[in-house]
Amino acid sequence: MKTNLVKESDIHMAVTAAKTSPSKPAAKDDLKTLPLSEVEKKLQTSADGLSQAEAVKRLIQYGPNEIEEKKQNVLLKILSYFWGPIPWMIEIAVILSGVVRHWPDFFIILILLVSNAAVGFFEERQAGDAIDALKATLAIKARVKRDGKWITPPARELVPGDVIRLRLGDIVPADARLLDGDEVSLDQSALTGESLPASRKPGDAVFSGSIVRRGEIGALVYATGGKTYFGKTAELVETAVTVSHFQKAVLRIGNYLIMLAVVLVSVIIAIGIYRGNAILTTLQFALVLTVAAIPVAMPTVLSVTMAVGARLLAKKQAIVSKLVAIEELAGVDVLCADKTGTLTQNKLTLGDPFCLDRIAADQIILAGALASRAENDDTIDLAVLGGLKDKQALKPFTVTHFMPFDPVHKRTEATVTAADGKTFKVTKGAPQVILKLSATAAAVKTDIDRAVNDFAARGFRALGVARADGEGPWQLLGVLPLFDPPREDAKATVATAAQMGVKIKMVTGDALAIARETAKTLGMGANILDGASLGDSKSDETEAMAQSIEDADGFAQVFPEHKFHIVDVLQKRGHIVGMTGDGVNDAPALKKADCGFAVSGATDAARAAASIVLVAPGLSVIIDSIKESRKIFQRMNSYAMYRIAETLRVLLFMTLAIVVFNFYPLTAIMIVMLALLNDGAILSIAYDNVIYRNQPEAWNMRLVLGIATVLGIVGPIAAFGLFYIADRVLHIDRPQIQTMMYLLLSVAGHLTIFQTRTRGPWWSTRPATILLIAVIGTQTVATLICLFGFLVTPLWWGWAAMVWVYALAWFLITDPVKLLAYRVLDASKTGPSRQPQVEPRPNKNDGPLPASPTPNLA
C-alpha cells in the first residue's frame, strides 16, 4: 500500500472522525479478535500460506491491496484554469473587446485564454503522470509464502489468507494476525498519533501502515486495500508539495512584475483619460498590456521543468519522491554519508579470528554461524556463514529460537540443540555489548580491546562471539574480523564532491578507529568525532561543540538520535544538508535533512522518509544527481531573468511611447500575439543545455534583478532607436511602424533568452536543439504575420529584413553590456556567493509553508 504518500495530519483527522462517527462493524472485523485457528478456517488457509493459483483467484475476488485514489473531475480541473487573478484579467479583456466590438482582439485574446488553460492542463497532467510512473517503481514489496516458497511480489498483490514475513524496518503491507514467534515492536504513529512503539504478541492484530521497529515474525493477512483499518479510517491523500525556496522566489518575481504592470498601466490609463481617449478602448488596451506583462506561463514552466528534471534524475538512478527535493539538492553543501554500502562495497569478508582460552578458530566461526540466518539476507550473517570451511558443519544442530539483530541490543542470539540433545545459546554482535554479557569480562577486557583496536587499525570491523551452555553464564569465545573494502569509485567521488563545494561527512556506527582508517583511505580527512561526545535532539550544543561538528570530517559510533542531532546542528549553522541512510534507524535523520537519500536496498521506512530514493549503490549517483539538480536550477534562473527583462522591455517602451510621444507603438492584438508566441516557445527552456556551477546554488535575487533590469532598460533604448529611424529618417507610416515595433520586440525578446541562459558570452554554451527550433519557429511565424499582414498592417520584406539586422546588431551590442553588469555586480557583492537568500531558510519541522498559486507538482 502507498502509505508513504499519506499526510499524517490527514490520517489523524480521519481517525478522529471514524472514532466520533460510530458505525456498524462489518463481519470481517471479527477476524482481528477471533482465535487464530478460526481465522484460518474462515479464510481457508494455513500457516503454510496459499498457492499461487489460489492467490490469483482471490486477487480477482478482493481486488488489489491498495486504496483507490480519488481523481479530480477532469471538467472541474479544466475549469480551474479559468479561475484566478491572471485568468480574470484575460476574461475581462475578452469582455471589453466584445463590448467595443473589436472582434479580432476578442477572438485572439480568447485563443490566448484557452491556450494557456490547455497548455497548463496538459503539461501539469504530463508532470503528474511522470511522477506517478516514477513512484510506481518505489512500490513496497512483501515477503509472501506461496506454494511453500518465499517470494517478494508487490504488496498490492497481497490477498486475505496470505502468510507474510515482517522484519525490522518493514511497513506492514496489510492488516494481519501475528503467527508464532517473539513479541515485536510496532510504530503506529501514522495511524494513532502515538509516538511510543506498541508491543504485539503472536495472535495480535497488526495494521497496515505500521512500521516494524524491533523483531521479526510471520503474519496471516486477513484484510487488504479499502477493508483495512487504514483504508476505513482515511482516504489516500497525495503528499502535498511544499513551496520551496526557489519557487517562493519565482512567485515573488511574479508579484513584482504584476505590481510593476499595475503601476505603469495606471499611468497609461490616467494619460488616456486626461487626453480624452475613449475610456473603454483605453481600459481594454491597458488590460491587454497587463496580461502580456504578467508571467502567465510561469506555473507551467515550473511544472514542466520539475517534471523533466525528475525524469532526468531517474535516468541517473535517483527516483524523486518529493519534487521540491530537486531544488533543495542544488543548494546542498554538506552531505552526511553512511559508510557501509555507500562509501564501501557492503561486501563483508571474514578474516582470521582472535581466539581466547585456546579456543579453535573453527569453533568461533561455527558459533557465529549458528547465531546467523541466511534467509535474512544480512551482509554480516552471510559473511560469517561464508567463513565456514565445512558447509555441512551446521547440519547436526537445530536452532529452536532466534533473536534477530536490532539497533538497540546490537546483537543476535540463537538457542541451539545439538545432535546429542544438549542445549546451548550463542550470540554475536558489537564487541562491547558481547563483552558486557561475559562472566569473565574483567579478565579478558584488555585482550579484547587490544584485538578490536588492532583490527580497526587495519580497517576491519570486529564482531564479538559468545556461548552459554544450558542456563550457564556467557563465555566470550573471541572476536571475528570483518572487512568491507571501499568502493572503487568512492575516492574519486569524494574528490569530485569537494571540487563542487560539497563537503562529505562520514556518519557510521562503526568504531572510531575503523571510521578514521576508512576516511584516510578515501581522502576525507581524519578529524572523526566520537558519537558519545555528541548531544541529542533535545539538547543545545555549546558554540565550541557546534563548531567542532561543523569542522568534523565524520562521526563514528553514532546512534539514530546522533544522526538527527548532527543534521539539526548543521542546519542551524546555515548549511543545506543532505543525508543518506538505509535502515529504520536512519528515518528520523532522513526526514529532518533538507534532502534525504534512501540508498539502494533501503528499508520501506527509510524510503518513506527520504526525498530521493537511489536505485544504484554508491555515492557517485548522488553526485550525479547534484550536478543535474544544479542544471535544473540554472534553467529556472535563466527563465526568471528572461521573464523580468522581457516584461520591463515591453512595459517601459509602451509607457514612455504613450506618455512622451502620444503614440501607441503596438496594437492590443499585437501585444496578445507577442505574449502568445513568447510563452509558447519558452517552455522549451526546460530541455536547454546548461553548465552547472562548481558551488552550491542559492537564489541571488540581487544578481537576477540587476542583470534583468540592465537587459530590460537596453531594450527600450533599441526600440526607440528604430522608431526614430522609421519615423524621422524613412518617414514610414505609423501603422507600418507599429508592425515594425511588433517584429522588433518579438525578435529581440526571444534573442534575450540566449543572453540570460549563460553568465559568459552568448555563444559560450550551445543551446539545446529544441530551444533553437522553438525560437526560430516562433520568429518565423512572427515575420510571416508581418509580411502577409495577418491582423496587422503588412510590412515590406526589405523593412522586415532591416528589423532583423537591427535586432541582431543590438543583440551583439547588449551582450558585452551584460558581461560588464556581471562584473560590476560580482565585484560589489559581499560574503560567499551562496549567502544572499530570498528569506531565512525555515526549519522543515516548523510546518508547511503557505499555499501558492503554483500547481501541485506531485
Side-chain angles (χ1 to χ4, degrees), residues 493-534:
T493 303
V494 169
T496 302
Q499 292 172 0
M500 295 171 61
V502 179
K503 170 67 176 176
I504 297 180
K505 296 178 183 286
M506 178 192 297
V507 181
T508 179
D510 280 346
L512 190 64
I514 293 176
R516 190 170 285 136
E517 184 68 22
T518 304
K520 282 181 182 177
T521 304
L522 298 177
M524 299 176 66
N527 182 18
I528 308 296
L529 291 185
D530 189 339
S533 66
L534 304 176

Short mmCIF file of all heavy atoms in Angstrom, two decimals, residues 493-534:
data_model
loop_
_atom_site.label_atom_id
_atom_site.label_comp_id
_atom_site.label_asym_id
_atom_site.label_seq_id
_atom_site.Cartn_x
_atom_site.Cartn_y
_atom_site.Cartn_z
N THR A 493 34.94 10.02 -6.17
CA THR A 493 33.67 10.71 -5.94
C THR A 493 33.80 11.74 -4.83
O THR A 493 33.26 12.86 -4.94
CB THR A 493 32.56 9.70 -5.58
OG1 THR A 493 32.45 8.74 -6.63
CG2 THR A 493 31.24 10.39 -5.39
N VAL A 494 34.51 11.39 -3.77
CA VAL A 494 34.74 12.33 -2.66
C VAL A 494 35.50 13.56 -3.17
O VAL A 494 35.18 14.70 -2.82
CB VAL A 494 35.51 11.64 -1.51
CG1 VAL A 494 35.99 12.67 -0.49
CG2 VAL A 494 34.64 10.61 -0.84
N ALA A 495 36.51 13.32 -4.01
CA ALA A 495 37.30 14.43 -4.57
C ALA A 495 36.43 15.31 -5.47
O ALA A 495 36.52 16.55 -5.43
CB ALA A 495 38.49 13.88 -5.34
N THR A 496 35.58 14.68 -6.29
CA THR A 496 34.68 15.43 -7.17
C THR A 496 33.72 16.29 -6.36
O THR A 496 33.46 17.46 -6.70
CB THR A 496 33.87 14.48 -8.07
OG1 THR A 496 34.78 13.68 -8.84
CG2 THR A 496 32.95 15.23 -9.00
N ALA A 497 33.18 15.72 -5.28
CA ALA A 497 32.25 16.47 -4.43
C ALA A 497 32.93 17.70 -3.84
O ALA A 497 32.34 18.79 -3.78
CB ALA A 497 31.73 15.57 -3.32
N ALA A 498 34.19 17.54 -3.41
CA ALA A 498 34.93 18.68 -2.84
C ALA A 498 35.10 19.78 -3.88
O ALA A 498 34.97 20.97 -3.57
CB ALA A 498 36.28 18.20 -2.32
N GLN A 499 35.39 19.39 -5.11
CA GLN A 499 35.53 20.38 -6.19
C GLN A 499 34.21 21.12 -6.44
O GLN A 499 34.21 22.27 -6.87
CB GLN A 499 35.98 19.70 -7.48
CG GLN A 499 37.40 19.15 -7.41
CD GLN A 499 37.74 18.30 -8.64
OE1 GLN A 499 36.91 18.13 -9.53
NE2 GLN A 499 38.95 17.77 -8.67
N MET A 500 33.09 20.44 -6.18
CA MET A 500 31.77 21.04 -6.39
C MET A 500 31.28 21.83 -5.19
O MET A 500 30.15 22.33 -5.18
CB MET A 500 30.76 19.94 -6.72
CG MET A 500 31.02 19.22 -8.03
SD MET A 500 29.95 17.77 -8.22
CE MET A 500 28.33 18.54 -8.18
N GLY A 501 32.12 21.94 -4.16
CA GLY A 501 31.72 22.70 -2.98
C GLY A 501 30.85 21.94 -2.01
O GLY A 501 30.19 22.53 -1.16
N VAL A 502 30.85 20.61 -2.12
CA VAL A 502 30.06 19.77 -1.22
C VAL A 502 31.00 19.01 -0.29
O VAL A 502 31.85 18.24 -0.74
CB VAL A 502 29.19 18.76 -2.00
CG1 VAL A 502 28.39 17.89 -1.03
CG2 VAL A 502 28.25 19.49 -2.94
N LYS A 503 30.88 19.24 1.00
CA LYS A 503 31.69 18.56 2.00
C LYS A 503 30.99 17.26 2.40
O LYS A 503 29.86 17.28 2.89
CB LYS A 503 31.87 19.46 3.22
CG LYS A 503 32.50 18.79 4.42
CD LYS A 503 33.96 18.42 4.17
CE LYS A 503 34.59 17.83 5.43
NZ LYS A 503 35.98 17.38 5.19
N ILE A 504 31.66 16.13 2.19
CA ILE A 504 31.09 14.84 2.58
C ILE A 504 31.59 14.48 3.97
O ILE A 504 32.80 14.46 4.21
CB ILE A 504 31.47 13.74 1.58
CG1 ILE A 504 30.88 14.04 0.20
CG2 ILE A 504 30.97 12.38 2.07
CD1 ILE A 504 31.18 13.02 -0.86
N LYS A 505 30.66 14.23 4.87
CA LYS A 505 30.99 13.82 6.24
C LYS A 505 30.53 12.37 6.44
O LYS A 505 29.36 12.07 6.22
CB LYS A 505 30.31 14.73 7.26
CG LYS A 505 30.78 16.19 7.22
CD LYS A 505 30.02 17.02 8.24
CE LYS A 505 30.40 18.49 8.17
NZ LYS A 505 31.72 18.77 8.72
N MET A 506 31.44 11.51 6.84
CA MET A 506 31.09 10.11 7.09
C MET A 506 30.31 10.00 8.40
O MET A 506 30.69 10.60 9.41
CB MET A 506 32.36 9.26 7.17
CG MET A 506 32.08 7.79 7.47
SD MET A 506 33.59 6.89 7.88
CE MET A 506 34.51 7.03 6.36
N VAL A 507 29.22 9.26 8.37
CA VAL A 507 28.44 9.01 9.58
C VAL A 507 28.26 7.50 9.69
O VAL A 507 27.62 6.87 8.84
CB VAL A 507 27.06 9.70 9.51
CG1 VAL A 507 26.27 9.44 10.78
CG2 VAL A 507 27.21 11.19 9.28
N THR A 508 28.81 6.90 10.74
CA THR A 508 28.79 5.44 10.85
C THR A 508 28.66 5.00 12.30
O THR A 508 29.05 5.72 13.22
CB THR A 508 30.07 4.84 10.24
OG1 THR A 508 30.04 3.41 10.39
CG2 THR A 508 31.32 5.38 10.91
N GLY A 509 28.10 3.83 12.48
CA GLY A 509 28.03 3.25 13.81
C GLY A 509 29.26 2.44 14.16
O GLY A 509 29.38 1.93 15.27
N ASP A 510 30.20 2.34 13.21
CA ASP A 510 31.43 1.57 13.46
C ASP A 510 32.34 2.28 14.46
O ASP A 510 32.17 3.45 14.78
CB ASP A 510 32.19 1.37 12.14
CG ASP A 510 31.60 0.24 11.32
OD1 ASP A 510 30.81 -0.54 11.88
OD2 ASP A 510 31.92 0.14 10.13
N ALA A 511 33.35 1.53 14.90
CA ALA A 511 34.30 2.06 15.87
C ALA A 511 35.08 3.24 15.30
O ALA A 511 35.24 3.38 14.09
CB ALA A 511 35.27 0.96 16.30
N LEU A 512 35.58 4.07 16.20
CA LEU A 512 36.29 5.29 15.81
C LEU A 512 37.50 4.97 14.93
O LEU A 512 37.74 5.64 13.92
CB LEU A 512 36.73 6.04 17.08
CG LEU A 512 37.29 7.44 16.90
CD1 LEU A 512 36.24 8.38 16.35
CD2 LEU A 512 37.82 7.97 18.24
N ALA A 513 38.25 3.93 15.30
CA ALA A 513 39.47 3.59 14.54
C ALA A 513 39.14 3.15 13.12
O ALA A 513 39.83 3.52 12.16
CB ALA A 513 40.25 2.49 15.27
N ILE A 514 38.05 2.39 12.97
CA ILE A 514 37.65 1.93 11.63
C ILE A 514 37.22 3.13 10.78
O ILE A 514 37.62 3.26 9.61
CB ILE A 514 36.48 0.92 11.72
CG1 ILE A 514 36.94 -0.36 12.39
CG2 ILE A 514 35.92 0.62 10.34
CD1 ILE A 514 35.84 -1.37 12.60
N ALA A 515 36.42 4.00 11.37
CA ALA A 515 35.95 5.18 10.63
C ALA A 515 37.13 6.04 10.20
O ALA A 515 37.18 6.53 9.07
CB ALA A 515 35.00 5.98 11.51
N ARG A 516 38.10 6.21 11.12
CA ARG A 516 39.26 7.06 10.81
C ARG A 516 40.10 6.44 9.69
O ARG A 516 40.55 7.13 8.78
CB ARG A 516 40.10 7.25 12.07
CG ARG A 516 41.19 8.29 11.95
CD ARG A 516 41.81 8.59 13.30
NE ARG A 516 40.93 9.41 14.13
CZ ARG A 516 40.69 9.21 15.42
NH1 ARG A 516 41.23 8.16 16.02
NH2 ARG A 516 39.91 10.02 16.08
N GLU A 517 40.27 5.12 9.74
CA GLU A 517 41.08 4.44 8.72
C GLU A 517 40.39 4.53 7.34
O GLU A 517 41.03 4.80 6.32
CB GLU A 517 41.26 2.97 9.11
CG GLU A 517 42.16 2.17 8.19
CD GLU A 517 43.61 2.60 8.24
OE1 GLU A 517 44.02 3.20 9.26
OE2 GLU A 517 44.33 2.36 7.25
N THR A 518 39.06 4.31 7.33
CA THR A 518 38.32 4.40 6.06
C THR A 518 38.37 5.82 5.50
O THR A 518 38.56 6.02 4.30
CB THR A 518 36.85 3.99 6.28
OG1 THR A 518 36.81 2.67 6.85
CG2 THR A 518 36.08 3.99 4.96
N ALA A 519 38.20 6.82 6.38
CA ALA A 519 38.22 8.21 5.94
C ALA A 519 39.58 8.58 5.36
O ALA A 519 39.67 9.27 4.34
CB ALA A 519 37.88 9.13 7.11
N LYS A 520 40.65 8.09 5.98
CA LYS A 520 42.00 8.36 5.46
C LYS A 520 42.17 7.75 4.08
O LYS A 520 42.71 8.37 3.16
CB LYS A 520 43.05 7.78 6.41
CG LYS A 520 43.30 8.61 7.66
CD LYS A 520 44.38 7.94 8.51
CE LYS A 520 44.62 8.71 9.79
NZ LYS A 520 45.63 8.02 10.65
N THR A 521 41.69 6.50 3.94
CA THR A 521 41.83 5.80 2.66
C THR A 521 41.12 6.56 1.54
O THR A 521 41.61 6.61 0.41
CB THR A 521 41.24 4.38 2.77
OG1 THR A 521 41.88 3.70 3.84
CG2 THR A 521 41.42 3.60 1.48
N LEU A 522 39.98 7.16 1.86
CA LEU A 522 39.18 7.85 0.84
C LEU A 522 39.55 9.32 0.68
O LEU A 522 38.95 10.03 -0.12
CB LEU A 522 37.69 7.74 1.19
CG LEU A 522 37.12 6.33 1.23
CD1 LEU A 522 35.66 6.35 1.65
CD2 LEU A 522 37.25 5.65 -0.13
N GLY A 523 40.54 9.78 1.45
CA GLY A 523 40.97 11.17 1.34
C GLY A 523 39.97 12.16 1.91
O GLY A 523 39.87 13.29 1.46
N MET A 524 39.22 11.73 2.95
CA MET A 524 38.19 12.59 3.54
C MET A 524 38.71 13.38 4.73
O MET A 524 38.00 14.25 5.24
CB MET A 524 36.99 11.73 3.98
CG MET A 524 36.31 10.99 2.86
SD MET A 524 34.97 9.92 3.44
CE MET A 524 33.79 11.11 4.04
N GLY A 525 39.91 13.07 5.21
CA GLY A 525 40.41 13.70 6.43
C GLY A 525 40.23 12.77 7.60
O GLY A 525 39.43 11.84 7.56
N ALA A 526 40.96 13.03 8.67
CA ALA A 526 40.95 12.12 9.82
C ALA A 526 40.32 12.73 11.06
O ALA A 526 40.41 12.18 12.15
CB ALA A 526 42.37 11.67 10.14
N ASN A 527 39.66 13.88 10.92
CA ASN A 527 39.01 14.53 12.06
C ASN A 527 37.64 13.90 12.30
O ASN A 527 36.62 14.41 11.89
CB ASN A 527 38.88 16.04 11.79
CG ASN A 527 38.26 16.78 12.97
OD1 ASN A 527 38.22 16.26 14.10
ND2 ASN A 527 37.76 17.98 12.72
N ILE A 528 37.64 12.73 12.95
CA ILE A 528 36.42 11.96 13.19
C ILE A 528 36.00 12.12 14.65
O ILE A 528 36.79 11.84 15.57
CB ILE A 528 36.62 10.46 12.86
CG1 ILE A 528 37.20 10.29 11.46
CG2 ILE A 528 35.31 9.72 13.01
CD1 ILE A 528 36.32 10.76 10.34
N LEU A 529 34.76 12.55 14.89
CA LEU A 529 34.26 12.71 16.26
C LEU A 529 33.59 11.44 16.74
O LEU A 529 32.94 10.73 15.96
CB LEU A 529 33.24 13.86 16.32
CG LEU A 529 33.74 15.29 16.12
CD1 LEU A 529 32.59 16.27 16.34
CD2 LEU A 529 34.88 15.61 17.07
N ASP A 530 33.72 11.17 18.02
CA ASP A 530 33.05 10.02 18.64
C ASP A 530 31.61 10.41 18.94
O ASP A 530 31.34 11.46 19.52
CB ASP A 530 33.78 9.65 19.94
CG ASP A 530 33.28 8.33 20.52
OD1 ASP A 530 32.15 7.93 20.18
OD2 ASP A 530 34.02 7.69 21.29
N GLY A 531 30.67 9.55 18.54
CA GLY A 531 29.26 9.84 18.76
C GLY A 531 28.92 10.03 20.23
O GLY A 531 27.98 10.75 20.56
N ALA A 532 29.70 9.42 21.11
CA ALA A 532 29.42 9.53 22.55
C ALA A 532 29.59 10.97 23.04
O ALA A 532 29.01 11.35 24.06
CB ALA A 532 30.36 8.61 23.33
N SER A 533 30.36 11.77 22.30
CA SER A 533 30.60 13.15 22.73
C SER A 533 29.50 14.09 22.25
O SER A 533 29.47 15.27 22.62
CB SER A 533 31.94 13.64 22.17
OG SER A 533 31.91 13.72 20.76
N LEU A 534 28.58 13.58 21.43
CA LEU A 534 27.52 14.42 20.88
C LEU A 534 26.29 14.41 21.78
O LEU A 534 26.06 13.47 22.53
CB LEU A 534 27.11 13.92 19.48
CG LEU A 534 28.22 13.83 18.44
CD1 LEU A 534 27.67 13.23 17.15
CD2 LEU A 534 28.82 15.20 18.16
#
